[in-house]
């Protein structure tokens, strides 16, 4: 069993390079080591007692919100999932992995709140309704296990592989949560209810764990295989560490791949149950730590290599200078002069200033997991600072708990000011207002809210198997501060939810551009294009997620690394991340899509229109609001 001593040693070395303010951690092996000083609050200094009281007094119509969450999940699966194929046919490999993650998370949320499944007599919980819903979505996830093109993803970029890891770990959490809540053996002699049955045999058959636990070895094996494959992207020759995005392009160390590696690694540490299946495709030792004497053994729960990977990854990312003046993560770094034979530069010194919402989200799971493993308050402090930077960048003021602009003073057909990640307090991608989002861009906002939900879960004491002591006073203070800060985000979440709900069509499908839910009543004429969306152009920002990887020296070598038939992708296709040698995919218009410029009355019918990816955005937002608004 891995002892936390190694983790403490690793963390101590990281803390020095980070120059973190923590004098010691809340979790330790001895209360005599230090006396941790808990931060008074994770809230900004301007939030006074009156504001905090306002947040605590805010109430939510739980039954209505729960119904919206249920409907969003149902539409995701009834409108877009094909059970006979075991996938969402219009999704691509990585977006399908993300959608599966949303479905697992939302199903887990449903299983945790059966109180909303009250029978007609308004007295008892209808367990038939609850179990039928949970089993319905769980069996669809099992179908997706077989529908997922695991062979193709093995040849894609490292971030694509890591979405797979997070997806199956989320399903493992669903299974374990449901099993622990409702299927813990009661120890009773159940055979008394069946006279004539053999007591022991009957008890053994009936008193079983949740049937979903049968699938844990399969889910955990896939998670482990893809973590092993992705770890090959860790590179120490360039930029002193960090994950490379795509092995088929010039070295590019971007935020999302490194955030995913951190989040997936710490999630493997906590939620991976072990895997003794050495086949197929296991070729240890893994690249992340090939000198580890244990790197060729089967992974078990609480494997130290995952904690080490998360700590090292976070150390690199935090020192990488990958945040802009607004405190938001930009996309990543190139290495200038990489193709010049006379240039021996190995530093990440050419920063791409593009900002995407999902780059602000995935790291939150990593920060929360590293707090859970170490008890270092700086991880929570970093996370709350990032969340508050994001909220401000949407044009929302936490001090007044309202948008910066007065919504009553909106001018007809004038697009409100862009604040960095949105306008009018509503989160946006750069591509939203102009309806130029690809499948990538349509998936990003939901990812942010999924990881915000994970970060804001109530703090818990360390699992017993870590054998850690807790500094009770510091833990109580930090738990209160964390809950209070997360609760303060509920007004912003509610504002986004109300706008997003207004973009649903008659079938309940969410649109991509949520701000339109606030503008529809005050807008006449044509909706904005990229030329008039009021977003400043930055020559150092490349929107390759929506317009494709440029065919230039910053991204590709002079000798093309792609097959001749594979050119930079067109709008909506995936030619920049497909494996070498595969024929270029043809651009297809999803069913129900209205081409750009059509149906001016509904701005969310432009571009790719409503898709399973836009639906996942609404689902992730509703789930975040469901959990965070109900924090005590």
């Amino acid at each position: 069993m891995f002892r936390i001593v190694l983790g403490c040693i690793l963390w101590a070395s990281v803390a020095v390079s980070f120059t973190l303010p923590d004098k010691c951690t809340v979790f330790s092996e001895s209360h005599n080591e230090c006396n941790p000083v808990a931060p008074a609050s994770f809230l900004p200094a301007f939030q006074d007692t009156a504001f905090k009281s306002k947040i605590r007094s805010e109430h939510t119509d739980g039954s209505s919100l729960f119904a919206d969450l249920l409907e969003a999940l149902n539409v995701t699966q009834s409108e877009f999932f094909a059970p006979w194929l075991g996938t969402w046919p219009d999704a691509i490999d990585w977006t399908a992995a993300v959608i599966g993650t949303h479905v697992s998370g939302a199903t887990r949320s449903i299983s945790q709140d059966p109180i909303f499944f009250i029978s007609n007599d308004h007295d008892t919980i209808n367990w038939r309704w609850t179990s039928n819903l949970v089993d319905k979505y769980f069996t669809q996830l099992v179908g997706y296990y077989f529908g997922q093109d695991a062979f193709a993803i093995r040849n894609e970029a490292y971030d694509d592989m890591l979405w797979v890891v997070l997806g199956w770990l989320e399903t493992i959490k669903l299974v374990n949560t449901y099993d622990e809540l409702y299927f813990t053996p009661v120890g009773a002699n159940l055979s008394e209810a069946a006279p004539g049955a053999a007591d022991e045999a009957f008890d053994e058959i009936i008193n079983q764990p949740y049937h979903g636990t049968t699938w844990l070895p399969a889910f955990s094996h896939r998670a482990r295989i893809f973590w092993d494959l992705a770890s090959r992207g860790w590179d120490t020759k360039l930029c002193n560490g960090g994950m490379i995005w795509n092995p088929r392009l010039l070295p590019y160390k971007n935020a999302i791949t490194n955030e995913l590696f951190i989040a997936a690694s710490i999630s493997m540490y906590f939620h991976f149950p072990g895997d003794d299946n050495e086949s197929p495709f296991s070729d240890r030792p893994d690249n992340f730590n090939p000198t580890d004497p244990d790197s060729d053994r089967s992974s078990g729960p609480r494997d130290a290599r995952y904690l080490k990977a998360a700590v090292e990854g976070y150390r690199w990312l935090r020192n990488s200078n990958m945040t802009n003046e607004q405190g938001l993560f930009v996309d990543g770094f190139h290495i200038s002069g990489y193709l010049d034979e006379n240039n021996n530069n190995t530093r990440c010194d050419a920063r791409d200033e593009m900002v995407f919402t999902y780059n602000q989200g995935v790291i939150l799971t990593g920060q929360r997991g590293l707090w859970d493993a170490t008890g270092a308050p700086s991880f929570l402090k970093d996370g709350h600072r990032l969340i508050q930077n994001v909220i401000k960048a949407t044009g929302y003021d936490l001090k007044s708990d309202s948008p910066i602009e007065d919504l009553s003073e909106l001018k007809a057909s004038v697009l409100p000011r862009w604040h960095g990640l949105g306008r009018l307090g509503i989160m946006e991608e750069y591509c939203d207002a102009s309806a130029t989002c690809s499948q990538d861009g349509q998936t990003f906002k939901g990812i942010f809210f999924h990881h915000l939900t994970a970060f804001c879960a109530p703090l818990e004491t360390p699992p017993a198997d870590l054998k850690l002591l807790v500094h009770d006073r510091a833990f109580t203070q930090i738990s209160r501060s964390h809950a209070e800060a997360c609760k303060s985000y509920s007004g912003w979440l509610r504002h986004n939810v109300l706008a997003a709900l207004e973009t649903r069509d008659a079938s309940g499908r969410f649109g991509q551009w949520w701000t339109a839910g606030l503008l529809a009543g005050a807008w006449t004429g044509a909706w904005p294009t990229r030329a008039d969306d009021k977003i400043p152009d930055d020559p150092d920002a490349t929107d390759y997620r929506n317009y494709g990887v440029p065919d230039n020296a910053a991204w590709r070598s002079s000798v093309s690394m792609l097959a001749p038939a594979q050119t930079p992708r067109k709008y909506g296709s995936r030619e920049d991340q497909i494996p070498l040698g595969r024929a270029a995919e043809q651009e297809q218009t999803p069913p129900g899509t209205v081409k750009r410029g059509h149906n001016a009355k509904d701005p969310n019918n432009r571009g790719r229109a409503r898709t399973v990816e836009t639906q996942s955005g609404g689902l992730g937002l509703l789930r975040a609001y469901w959990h965070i608004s109900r924090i005590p």
Side-chain angles (χ1 to χ4, degrees), residues 65-75 110 117 133 137 622:
L65 179 56
F66 191 74
D68 286 331
L69 175 61
L70 263 181
E71 181 185 10
L73 176 58
N74 179 62
V75 171
I110 290 172
F117 295 97
L133 274 177
Y137 298 126
L622 280 170

Side-chain angles (χ1 to χ4, degrees), residues 6 97 158 226 229 276 292 302 367 400 404 470 512 526 549 568-569 589:
L6 174 59
Y158 293 121
F226 275 89
L229 291 169
D276 57 4
D292 183 351
R302 302 286 191 267
Q367 289 163 330
S400 63
I404 294 173
V470 178
Q512 170 69 16
V549 172
R569 67 172 166 169
T589 302

Side-chain angles (χ1 to χ4, degrees), residues 451-495:
H451 292 277
L452 174 63
T453 304
F455 180 83
C456 277
L459 301 188
E460 298 178 346
T461 55
D465 62 321
L466 290 186
K467 298 183 178 180
L468 291 174
L469 297 175
V470 178
H471 293 267
D472 294 332
R473 185 172 61 180
F475 179 77
T476 299
Q477 170 106 25
I478 289 176
S479 296
R480 184 184 301 115
S481 298
H482 175 71
E484 190 172 58
C486 286
K487 182 71 174 179
S488 76
Y489 311 143
S490 60
W492 174 70
L493 287 168
R494 181 177 184 273
H495 182 62

Side-chain angles (χ1 to χ4, degrees), residues 175-233:
V175 171
N176 286 334
T177 297
Y178 199 54
D179 180 55
E180 291 169 5
L181 285 174
Y182 308 114
F183 293 88
T184 301
V186 297
N189 188 349
L190 301 179
S191 59
E192 293 178 358
D199 290 359
E200 293 184 4
F202 192 84
D203 285 353
E204 184 176 349
I205 293 172
I206 298 300
N207 203 17
Q208 292 191 43
Y210 174 52
H211 69 81
T213 57
T214 305
W215 291 96
L216 290 180
F219 300 158
S220 61
H221 182 60
R222 182 162 294 177
R224 196 265 292 176
I225 287 295
F226 275 89
W227 189 92
D228 287 350
L229 291 169
S231 71
R232 298 172 180 173

Side-chain angles (χ1 to χ4, degrees), residues 407-416 519-526 534:
L407 299 184
S408 65
E409 297 180 359
L410 291 179
K411 297 180 180 180
S413 299
V414 175
L415 203 60
L519 298 175
W523 195 275
T524 58
K534 291 197 173 184

Side-chain angles (χ1 to χ4, degrees), residues 545-569:
R545 291 297 191 181
N546 293 302
Y547 293 99
V549 172
D551 195 9
N552 60 35
W555 294 86
R556 304 173 188 269
S557 64
S558 55
V559 178
S560 178
M561 304 177 92
L562 297 179
Q566 298 178 15
T567 58
R569 67 172 166 169

Side-chain angles (χ1 to χ4, degrees), residues 52-241:
K52 298 173 188 176
S53 298
K54 174 185 175 183
I55 291 299
R56 283 198 293 268
S57 65
E58 180 181 305
H59 294 285
T60 303
D61 182 356
S63 59
S64 176
L65 179 56
F66 191 74
D68 286 331
L69 175 61
L70 263 181
E71 181 185 10
L73 176 58
N74 179 62
V75 171
T76 303
Q77 296 306 91
S78 62
E79 291 282 324
F80 299 105
F81 186 75
W84 54 93
L85 298 176
T87 192
W88 303 264
D90 294 328
I92 49 181
D93 289 337
W94 87 267
T95 68
V98 170
I99 294 158
T101 307
H102 284 299
V103 172
S104 294
T107 304
R108 182 160 59 93
S109 296
I110 290 172
S111 74
Q112 292 172 313
D113 284 293
I115 191 63
F116 289 94
F117 295 97
I118 301 295
S119 59
N120 292 333
D121 59 11
H122 301 287
D123 186 35
T124 59
I125 295 173
N126 192 318
W127 293 105
R128 178 172 60 86
W129 295 347
T130 308
S131 63
N132 190 47
L133 274 177
V134 172
D135 277 351
K136 172 186 176 180
Y137 298 126
F138 176 70
T139 54
Q140 290 176 349
L141 290 164
V142 172
Y144 174 54
Y145 176 81
F146 295 101
Q148 186 175 59
D149 195 347
F151 288 94
I153 302 172
R154 280 170 39 79
N155 295 307
E156 295 174 5
Y158 293 121
D159 60 338
D160 297 310
M161 301 175 192
L162 290 166
W163 295 117
V164 175
V165 178
L166 286 179
W168 293 113
L169 290 177
E170 189 67 43
T171 308
I172 289 171
K173 290 165 65 177
L174 161 64
V175 171
N176 286 334
T177 297
Y178 199 54
D179 180 55
E180 291 169 5
L181 285 174
Y182 308 114
F183 293 88
T184 301
V186 297
N189 188 349
L190 301 179
S191 59
E192 293 178 358
D199 290 359
E200 293 184 4
F202 192 84
D203 285 353
E204 184 176 349
I205 293 172
I206 298 300
N207 203 17
Q208 292 191 43
Y210 174 52
H211 69 81
T213 57
T214 305
W215 291 96
L216 290 180
F219 300 158
S220 61
H221 182 60
R222 182 162 294 177
R224 196 265 292 176
I225 287 295
F226 275 89
W227 189 92
D228 287 350
L229 291 169
S231 71
R232 298 172 180 173
W234 183 264
D235 164 72
T236 56
K237 296 178 181 178
L238 303 172
C239 311
N240 296 315

